[in-house]
Amino acid sequence: MSGITEIFDDEVVTHALVRDVKLPGGAGTMALITLDNGFDHTKPSTFGPRGLTELGAALDAVEERTDLAAVGVTGKPFIFAVGADLKGAALVRAREQAEELGRLGHEVFRRLGEMELPTFAFVNGAAMGGGLEIALHCNYRTISAGVTAVALPECFLGLVPGWGGTQLLPRLIGPTNAIKLMIDNPLAQNRMIDGREAYRLGVADAIFDAADFLEESLRWAARVLTGEAAVARPPFTSDAGAWQAAVDAARGALDLKVRGASPAPYRALELVELARTASRDEGFAAETRVLADLLMGDELRAGLYSFDLVQRRAKRPAGAPDKALARPVTKVGVVGAGLMASQLALLFARRLEVPVVLTDLDRTRLDKGVAYVHDEIGKLLAKGRIDADKANRLKGLVTGSLTKDAFAGADLVIEAVFEDLKVKKQVFAEVEDVVGPECVLATNTSSLPITAMAADLRHPERVVGLHFFNPVAVLPLLEIVRGERTDDATLATAFAVGKALRKSSVLVKDAPAFVVNRLLVRLMGEVIGAVDEGTPIEVADHALDRLGLPMSPFTLLQLVGPAIALHVAETLHEAFPSRFRVSGNLAELVKAGKPGVYAPDLSIDPEAREIFAGEGTGPDADEVRERALRALAEEVRLMLDEGVVAAPEDIDLCLILGAGWPFHTGGITPYLDRTGVSTAVNGRPFLAPGVASVPA
C-alpha cells in the first residue's frame, strides 16, 4: 500500500478511536468506534489510505476479543464521515493506484458487514459518499433527526459510489430509491436528504432526536441484541422485470438530462443493474474497476477541479481587498419594486436581518413588491423553515416608500431598475442627495458600465456592481464589479455583504456584460447565427448537447426573455462589433412579443419558426458546435488578456455558480483544453497539465 499512501502525503487522517460501552439491560459490552480527524465540524472526517488502514487495525483489535457483544461506529460532533479524501484522489496518476484505493476501501468497510459480531452504525451527523457506505456495510443503522446531509454525491463529481454503495443500497431500499440517491439527487445540483427522509426511505432502521441520540441509539442496540426490538425491513426482491424497469426508466431520464455527456451516472446504473444478482465479491470487484476507469478519466478530474473551485477559491476571492476595510451595513435600500428588486429585498432581509426599504414611483407596483416579499416569508413559515416570531420580524423589516427620502440612514442602496444608462444615472443622482457620504451605491446591471454610471456623482468611489443571477435565492454567484474609481472600502463592503448573503463572490473588471453574460451571449450568438443562416432551430439548439449543459441555448433564451437577450447583445455589439452580432430575427421575435421560440407544449412556435426561416441550408450540428466552442475559446482568452478576471479559474467558477454548468466540464476551460479547441484557437491550453486532467 506504500504507493497509494505516498500520493496521499497530505492526508488529514481520520482516526478510529475505540472505547468500551456497557449496554443497558445486560446486553453486554459494545466496542464503539468514533471516527474523528481531530478537527471540529468545519473540517469533516474523510478517508485516505492511512485512515482506512487505521480503521482496519481497530477492527483487527476488536475481532481478537472474546468479551464483546457488538461493534458500533459513530462520528465526531455533527459529522459521521463524508467519504474519500478528494484532494488525494486528484493526485492518482496510474490505474494501478486507482484500483488499490478501491480495493482498500472495500477490504476495510466490508468487514463491518461480515464480522461474527453484530455491527451498528449510529449516524449522528453528515454522512456522505464513503461515510454513508460505512453505515451501509453495518448490520443495523440509526440516524439522528438533526442530520441535514445524507448523500451519495459521487456522480455530481464524475465518480460512482465505489466502496460498496452501488451494491448494498439497491438491495436495502430497492433500485428506484437507490437510483434517486445515487444519480437523481447528485444531478439535481447535488441535492441532499435529511435524517428523517433517510429513515423514511429505509436507509436507517431507527431515528432519534439529536439531543440524546447516542444514548437512545445504544438503548435501541441493546434491545435489538436481546431480541426485545425487531428490525422490520421490506424483503429483498430480485424480480428481474421490476428491477430492469427501474434501471431503464432511469436511463431514459438520464438521456434527457445529460445526453451522454458524463459517463459516471451511466456507469452507476450499470452497477445498480449488476447488484440484483452479483455476489459481494463480484459486485465490489466491478465497483473497483469502474472507480479506476473514472479516476483515470478527464471528466472526473474536471469535476474535482470544479469541486476545488467551489470549496476553496470561492471562499478566498482573488483580488478582494482587506476585509477589515468593510463598513457595517445596518439598513438597505432597494430602488425598484419589480420581481428582481423584490427578490433582492427578500434576500437582504433574510440574510442580513436589517431594515430594507423598497421605493418605486408607482403605488400599485410598490405594494405588489412588498407583498411579494411578505408572501415569500409566509411560504417559509408554512414549510417550517422559520418560526412565527421570525416571520413576523422579517416582515416588519421590509417596507415600501414612494420617495427616496426613506433611504436616509441606509448603508447600502442597490438599484434594480430598467437597463438604461440614463435612467440608472438619474437614480444614483437622486439617491446621493439623501444618503450619507459613505453609503455604498450598488447596481445590479447585467451589462452596463459601472464607471459611466458613477461619472457624474460627487462620490463615484462608492459605486460598485453587485450582479446577482436569477433566481436570486438559488444561484450562488455574485459578480462584484469594480469601476475605475471604486475604492477599497466600498469593494470590501461589497465582499462582506456577499459573504453575509451566502453568495460566492468573484471580482470582475468593469467590462461589457462582465463574465457570465458575455460568454453566454457569445455562445447564443453563434447558435442564433446558424439559425439565421438556415439551420433548423432544433438542430442548432441541440448541437451542444454533448456538453451536458443545464439547458439548451433557445431554452435559456426563453428563460431570460428575448428582450433582455437582445439588449445585452446590442450592448456587446456596440463594444465588440466584429464578434457579437445582433440578429435581426431575434429583434423581430421581440417585436412580435414572443416569449421565445417554444410554444407551451415545448414544440416550436410556428410564428417563431417563420421569423427565423433562413434562406440557405445553414451549418450542420457538428459545425454549429465547432463554431460555438471556438468562439468561447476566443472570448475566454480575450477576457483574460483584458484582465476581466484574475485567472481562468474565475471564468470557470462563474459559469459553474452563475450558469449552472456541470462539474464534469470544469466550467469551460478544461473542456476546451481536453478537446483541443483551446490550442487550435489560441495556440495553447488555458490550464497547466494535471490541473483539471489526469497528471502525467
Side-chain angles (χ1 to χ4, degrees):
M1 198 191 71
S2 60
I4 193 70
T5 302
E6 289 172 3
I7 292 172
F8 286 72
D9 59 349
D10 289 333
E11 178 183 348
V12 177
V13 178
T14 292
H15 303 289
L17 310 176
V18 185
R19 63 187 173 99
D20 286 357
V21 176
K22 282 289 186 184
L23 295 172
T29 300
M30 170 182 284
L32 182 62
I33 301 171
T34 301
L35 306 172
D36 191 342
N37 62 4
F39 293 86
D40 66 16
H41 68 281
T42 61
K43 196 174 187 70
S45 302
T46 58
F47 279 102
R50 292 182 182 85
L52 290 170
T53 301
E54 185 167 325
L55 176 58
L59 295 175
D60 286 341
V62 165
E63 285 193 299
E64 290 175 2
R65 296 174 57 178
T66 59
D67 60 330
L68 296 175
V71 177
V73 181
T74 192
K76 67 182 183 181
F78 309 110
I79 302 291
F80 184 71
V82 298
D85 178 351
L86 294 177
K87 184 179 178 182
L91 301 176
V92 171
R93 296 172 181 268
R95 184 181 178 87
E96 294 76 16
Q97 296 166 338
E99 290 177 340
E100 187 177 357
L101 182 62
R103 282 195 298 269
L104 179 60
H106 281 118
E107 288 169 3
V108 174
F109 285 3
R110 70 183 299 175
R111 293 175 63 184
L112 288 163
E114 298 171 1
M115 297 176 70
E116 292 184 5
L117 290 169
T119 56
F120 294 80
F122 304 136
V123 183
N124 63 305
M128 293 182 276
L132 181 55
E133 287 174 299
I134 295 173
L136 292 173
H137 277 279
C138 292
N139 304 134
Y140 306 98
R141 286 159 295 282
T142 67
I143 196 163
S144 167
V147 172
T148 58
V150 176
L152 290 171
E154 287 84 353
C155 284
F156 180 64
L157 296 172
L159 265 180
V160 297
W163 287 337
T166 69
Q167 303 303 292
L168 300 174
L169 191 62
R171 297 177 70 90
L172 178 68
I173 64 174
T176 299
N177 285 331
I179 287 167
K180 177 182 178 182
L181 292 187
M182 282 191 282
I183 298 174
D184 296 349
N185 286 357
L187 297 184
Q189 295 299 308
N190 201 21
R191 179 180 176 269
M192 310 279 171
I193 64 172
D194 60 18
R196 295 185 187 279
E197 178 71 359
Y199 173 65
R200 188 189 69 78
L201 289 174
V203 176
D205 301 307
I207 186 168
F208 301 108
D209 288 339
D212 54 357
F213 170 71
L214 185 57
E215 293 84 350
E216 289 300 319
S217 292
L218 292 170
R219 289 191 187 96
W220 180 83
R223 294 174 61 234
V224 169
L225 292 173
T226 59
E228 297 176 43
V231 177
R233 294 176 186 158
F236 167 71
T237 175
S238 60
D239 180 82
W243 199 283
Q244 194 62 48
V247 171
D248 290 345
R251 186 171 285 113
L254 199 54
D255 287 339
L256 291 173
K257 192 170 186 68
V258 302
R259 305 176 185 93
S262 175
Y266 292 94
R267 301 301 300 273
L269 269 183
E270 293 171 7
L271 290 168
V272 170
E273 193 170 14
L274 179 68
R276 183 180 71 85
T277 56
S279 67
R280 282 195 166 205
D281 287 344
E282 293 168 340
F284 294 168
E287 274 188 344
T288 294
R289 288 193 298 272
V290 172
L291 185 72
D293 289 345
L294 294 172
L295 270 171
M296 300 312 298
D298 284 337
E299 288 87 356
L300 169 64
R301 301 313 172 110
L304 295 175
Y305 163 81
S306 298
F307 183 79
D308 186 71
L309 292 181
V310 171
Q311 294 297 313
R312 291 183 177 83
R313 191 173 184 90
K315 292 177 171 59
R316 293 184 289 275
D322 185 348
K323 60 184 179 182
L325 297 173
R327 302 188 186 106
V329 173
T330 60
K331 179 180 178 180
V332 173
V334 181
V335 184
L339 180 58
M340 191 66 178
S342 300
Q343 290 184 73
L344 291 173
L346 175 64
L347 180 68
F348 279 106
R350 284 194 67 197
R351 301 300 184 213
L352 301 186
E353 296 193 26
V354 300
V356 178
V357 183
L358 294 97
T359 63
D360 205 288
L361 300 177
D362 180 87
R363 168 59 69 183
T364 301
R365 185 179 175 89
L366 179 63
D367 290 345
K368 183 178 179 181
V370 174
Y372 168 87
V373 178
H374 288 188
D375 288 346
E376 290 299 308
I377 293 170
K379 291 176 184 177
L380 294 171
L381 173 62
K383 293 177 181 177
R385 302 274 296 277
I386 56 176
D387 59 29
D389 287 343
K390 186 163 186 177
N392 290 332
R393 188 166 65 253
L394 291 177
K395 288 180 181 179
L397 290 173
V398 180
T399 57
S401 172
L402 290 173
T403 69
K404 295 181 179 64
D405 293 342
F407 292 154
D411 303 299
L412 183 148
V413 175
I414 184 168
E415 67 78 20
V417 299
F418 184 68
E419 283 285 279
D420 181 279
L421 183 58
K422 183 178 179 181
V423 172
K424 290 179 184 290
K425 290 182 71 171
Q426 180 182 343
V427 163
F428 276 154
E430 293 171 356
V431 172
E432 190 174 41
D433 285 340
V434 298
V435 298
E438 293 188 341
C439 176
V440 171
L441 302 185
T443 172
N444 186 48
T445 183
S446 58
S447 61
L448 297 175
I450 309 303
T451 301
M453 264 182 235
D456 300 331
L457 296 177
R458 295 187 295 276
H459 296 285
E461 71 278 0
R462 62 168 167 191
V463 177
V464 66
L466 294 181
H467 182 212
F468 293 85
F469 290 80
N470 198 13
V472 172
V474 175
L475 290 176
L477 179 66
L478 177 61
E479 289 181 338
I480 295 183
V481 187
R482 182 171 201 162
E484 290 179 9
R485 299 179 66 179
T486 306
D487 64 20
D488 283 351
T490 297
L491 208 59
T493 303
F495 275 99
V497 167
K499 183 177 181 180
L501 296 177
R502 303 182 192 174
K503 298 296 182 183
S504 295
S505 301
V506 174
L507 181 62
V508 179
K509 181 182 176 181
D510 187 13
F514 317 128
V515 176
V516 174
N517 284 347
R518 180 166 166 179
L519 289 173
L520 292 183
V521 171
R522 183 78 197 270
L523 175 68
M524 195 176 294
E526 295 298 324
V527 173
I528 293 176
V531 176
D532 289 342
E533 294 174 35
T535 302
I537 292 174
E538 299 92 330
V539 173
D541 199 28
H542 292 288
L544 293 162
D545 280 0
R546 67 175 60 173
L547 272 75
L549 302 182
M551 60 186 70
S552 66
F554 278 103
T555 303
L556 178 61
L557 178 71
Q558 200 102 2
L559 177 66
V560 303
I564 293 175
L566 178 63
H567 169 74
V568 179
E570 289 171 340
T571 300
L572 285 163
H573 175 72
E574 185 177 347
F576 312 114
S578 64
R579 302 197 310 278
F580 289 87
R581 297 165 292 180
V582 177
S583 167
N585 290 332
L586 178 59
E588 285 298 314
L589 191 73
V590 174
K591 186 177 178 181
K594 293 291 180 181
V597 302
Y598 287 107
D601 64 357
L602 300 183
S603 65
I604 302 296
D605 184 324
E607 293 181 41
R609 191 184 294 280
E610 181 64 28
I611 289 171
F612 277 99
E615 296 182 0
T617 55
D620 63 19
D622 288 341
E623 292 174 290
V624 174
R625 181 172 53 256
E626 182 70 12
R627 283 189 192 182
L629 292 177
R630 291 180 70 89
L632 287 173
E634 178 186 36
E635 205 61 38
V636 170
R637 174 51 56 196
L638 289 169
M639 292 167 70
L640 293 172
D641 291 345
E642 294 167 18
V644 175
V645 290
E649 288 85 347
D650 294 313
I651 298 274
D652 295 323
L653 185 61
C654 284
L655 287 174
I656 292 165
L657 298 181
W661 283 33
F663 267 39
H664 69 78
T665 62
I668 189 58
T669 67
Y671 186 88
L672 295 173
D673 284 354
R674 74 173 180 255
T675 55
V677 177
S678 305
T679 301
V681 173
N682 302 314
R684 64 189 190 278
F686 290 106
L687 302 171
V691 172
S693 56
V694 178

